[in-house]
Amino acid sequence: GAVVSQHPSWVICKSGTSVKIECRSLDFQATTMFWYRQFPKQSLMLMATSNEGSKATYEQGVEKDKFLINHASLTLSTLTVTSAHPEDSSFYICSARDVGLAGDNEQFFGPGTRLTVL
Amino acid sequence: GENVEQHPSTLSVQEGDSAVIKCTYSDSASNYFPWYKQELGKRPQLIIDIRSNVGEKKDQRIAVTLNKTAKHFSLHITETQPEDSAVYFCAAPPPGFQKLVFGTGTRLLVSP
């Protein structure tokens, strides 16, 4: 149980284009999902908290107009990197909390999406 | 907000030795402390976690200890094996938030 998938697993795009990454909870419902970015040999940096049916909460320094987050259902959140540039190249990982485990802080992670912007 | 510091940044041990990684946190109200193992290019995997109402938790070769007074928690791996080689992250949630703040990570290398 508690499986989170991400699609695509990797993507290469040209500078200036937009890329959408999907995060799905496969066997549980998630009112809250999280989006992280991880640069090589660095820690996971939280970008935003995605709440089903409401606006995402962005961490300080993360441009909400560049990183669009949509959490339209209890099993799907999407991250769109708009007008991507080479410095946006990174490993993007999502995680989700199980709504059935109220009060539990445990997060279940997706396999990550490696974005390369040329 | 919550600040999590992790030491050491790298740790090399011989197979069979023990490894200890330590994290400190800043907010005394934090109540959940997970440890994740991440292999290169893979997702973080939860290996053990502890809540603030207990001081120690053990799962086979892995244990976590929590010192609430000193605001630190440690990961202990005994009888290390080469497959334990990975990056380990600690984390803690800021009180009142669902998110996690991660430590900077420890690269563990277990040599045969």
Side-chain angles (χ1 to χ4, degrees), chain A residues 19-88:
Chain A
V19 174
K20 180 186 282 189
I21 302 170
E22 294 186 348
C23 177
R24 293 181 185 273
S25 56
L26 299 185
D27 52 1
F28 66 98
Q29 294 184 325
T31 51
T32 306
M33 292 183 172
F34 305 90
W35 287 97
Y36 296 86
R37 182 167 52 181
Q38 186 177 36
F39 292 108
K41 296 186 178 182
Q42 293 190 22
S43 186
L44 287 83
M45 297 301 296
L46 181 65
M47 301 175 66
T49 301
S50 170
N51 298 295
E52 186 266 338
S54 63
K55 292 182 179 180
T57 302
Y58 290 82
E59 294 298 303
Q60 191 172 9
V62 178
E63 301 175 58
K64 61 180 182 180
D65 294 330
K66 180 172 179 63
F67 299 99
L68 302 179
I69 292 172
N70 183 279
H71 193 158
S73 79
L74 286 173
T75 59
L76 174 64
S77 176
T78 60
L79 168 68
T80 301
V81 183
T82 63
S83 186
H85 292 284
E87 55 266 31
D88 297 323

Side-chain angles (χ1 to χ4, degrees), chain A residues 4 32 34 36 38 41-44 46 49 59 91 93 97 104-107 109-111 114, chain B residues 31-32 36 38 41-46 49 51 89 93 97-100 102-105 107:
Chain A
V4 177
T32 306
F34 305 90
Y36 296 86
Q38 186 177 36
K41 296 186 178 182
Q42 293 190 22
S43 186
L44 287 83
L46 181 65
T49 301
E59 294 298 303
F91 192 49
I93 311 175
R97 290 182 70 242
D104 197 307
N105 292 96
E106 184 174 357
Q107 295 184 20
F109 283 85
R114 185 159 303 281
Chain B
N31 59 5
Y32 173 68
Y36 289 90
Q38 187 181 30
K42 301 289 183 63
R43 76 183 85 193
Q45 298 268 18
L46 178 70
D49 57 14
R51 301 184 189 282
F89 293 99
F97 289 89
Q98 301 175 45
K99 64 183 180 182
L100 290 174
F102 281 80
T104 49
R107 187 171 301 276

Side-chain angles (χ1 to χ4, degrees), chain B residues 47-67:
Chain B
I47 55 172
I48 197 166
D49 57 14
I50 193 169
R51 301 184 189 282
S52 58
N53 58 344
V54 296
E56 183 175 359
K57 183 176 178 181
K58 191 173 182 180
D59 183 2
Q60 299 183 346
R61 296 187 296 111
I62 296 173
V64 55
T65 57
L66 172 65
N67 183 326

Side-chain angles (χ1 to χ4, degrees), chain B residues 74-89:
Chain B
S74 299
L75 176 70
H76 304 256
I77 306 175
T78 58
E79 301 172 35
T80 54
Q81 302 167 2
E83 49 266 40
D84 294 329
S85 297
V87 179
Y88 291 81
F89 293 99

